[in-house]
Amino acid sequence: MAAKMISGTETAKKIREEIKTEIARLKEKHGITPGLATVLVGDDPASKVYVGAKEKSCKNLGVYSKRVDLPADTSEADLLALVDKLNNDPEIHGILVQLPLPKHINEPRVLYAIDPEKDVDGFHPVNVGKMVIGGDCFLPCTPHGVIELLVRYGIKTEGAEVVIVGRSNIVGKPVLNLLLQKREGGNATVTLCHTRTKDLAFHTKRADILIVATGHPKTVTGDMVKEGVVVIDVGVNRIGKTAEGKAILAGDVDFESVKEKAAAITPVPGGVGPMTIVMLMKNTLQAARNSI
Ligand code: NDP
């Protein structure tokens, strides 16, 4: 059976068009341009790429983008002062502090200083708490992107056995919570696995929908899944370089063996990755709307 490809690239493109229309309407009707501030501390190459991609996406959609690059030795006090300034800047509706931060800075302290109304990453405990109880809030971008892919591809989560591998605060745990909500893209029966799970294959083999976010290539192989499973591979691993020096990416799932049994699967790249940025843009638009 040839697995259907679940394309994040195509889905993100459609959502971008929807956002573009909404942004034009917001400008015309209310004279508001959504504004996103991205803060990068230090010069981690991967973080630079991510921040660059977010900036580019803002430009393409007509979102005002304010990028602040700070040296790696920036003090926590200075960073907190910047966050405070952005919290009070009326042109800025969303604030994103790129992680990881240098070791001398207390990451939670900085993230918790962001005004929850501008927390478009959805990492502030106020938004996390609201997400858990199903309230109105900014949903974290990657988990929201995972759910959006399932919904837009008509993959029914209601009543489905969903198994998640990975329990991080930014992927596994929020995905679990979203799948439990009593709404579209929710109502699933969810199992969350991690490194202390006794028999990973026992669980993955039961999955109607399998979501993998471990940070290790080939965590799940073809012999660990059942025929007809839907697989969302969140992983992004740099497994080598092309002759031109470009990174070769792989997910956390062994794509070749799993696609032989899956009904549908996300590729890496082109799966969850493009969804993350577009959900960030969606949250920024929402933050601007909330400011009316
Ligand atoms: P973390 O390292 O924070 O968490 C990994 C989780 O996977 C942990 O809970 C860990 O368990 C579990 N795990 C690791 N190995 C195994 C294993 N062999 N069996 C079972 N569980 C395992 O990673 P993140 O959640 O931040 O990221 C996960 C992946 O998703 C990465 O590849 C990352 O690059 C990618 N990612 C992609 C994004 C995108 O936009 N596409 C955005 C964010 C992440 P334990 O808790 O017991 O240690």
Side-chain angles (χ1 to χ4, degrees), residues 13-161:
K13 201 168 150 190
K14 276 190 210 129
I15 300 175
R16 272 199 300 276
E17 288 312 312
E18 296 163 14
I19 294 176
K20 237 181 191 169
T21 310
E22 288 294 311
I23 288 177
R25 196 173 299 156
L26 194 67
K27 280 184 191 169
E28 199 184 293
K29 224 174 149 197
H30 300 281
I32 294 177
T33 300
L36 175 70
T38 46
V39 182
L40 175 65
V41 187
D43 46 19
D44 175 63
S47 294
K48 267 189 174 168
V49 172
Y50 293 140
V51 168
K54 287 163 189 171
E55 223 186 348
K56 194 171 145 204
S57 191
C58 284
K59 286 210 176 92
N60 289 341
L61 293 179
V63 170
Y64 164 60
S65 160
K66 182 186 179 95
R67 176 167 169 173
V68 187
D69 284 6
L70 298 170
D73 61 356
T74 299
S75 71
E76 187 179 299
D78 284 351
L79 183 56
L80 287 170
L82 171 69
V83 168
D84 187 50
K85 204 171 141 205
L86 295 170
N87 280 341
N88 291 298
D89 185 339
E91 286 194 326
I92 297 300
H93 303 97
I95 303 170
L96 184 144
V97 177
Q98 185 64 45
L99 302 180
L101 290 169
K103 293 218 164 15
H104 66 279
I105 296 177
N106 182 313
E107 232 168 59
R109 204 174 289 151
V110 173
L111 294 183
Y112 301 174
I114 297 172
D115 180 347
E117 299 291 325
K118 296 192 177 188
D119 168 43
V120 284
D121 248 345
F123 290 160
H124 193 286
V126 167
N127 284 314
V128 175
K130 284 183 178 174
M131 173 192 65
V132 172
I133 60 173
D136 266 347
C137 62
F138 294 117
L139 299 178
C141 304
T142 302
H144 194 190
V146 167
I147 302 296
E148 197 71 19
L149 272 181
L150 292 172
V151 169
R152 290 194 181 229
Y153 272 83
I155 295 155
K156 215 173 130 219
T157 52
E158 186 172 330
E161 289 287 339

Side-chain angles (χ1 to χ4, degrees), residues 50 141-143 164-172 192-197 200 212-217 219 233-238 250-252 271-277:
Y50 293 140
C141 304
T142 302
I164 305 167
V165 190
R167 59 174 163 182
S168 74
N169 288 335
I170 64 164
V171 187
L192 183 56
C193 302
H194 44 79
T195 57
R196 309 300 162 95
T197 298
L200 182 62
V212 187
T214 62
H216 299 289
T219 304
D233 187 350
V234 184
V236 181
N237 301 290
R238 288 168 176 76
D252 292 344
V272 175
M275 294 298 290
T276 298
I277 295 191

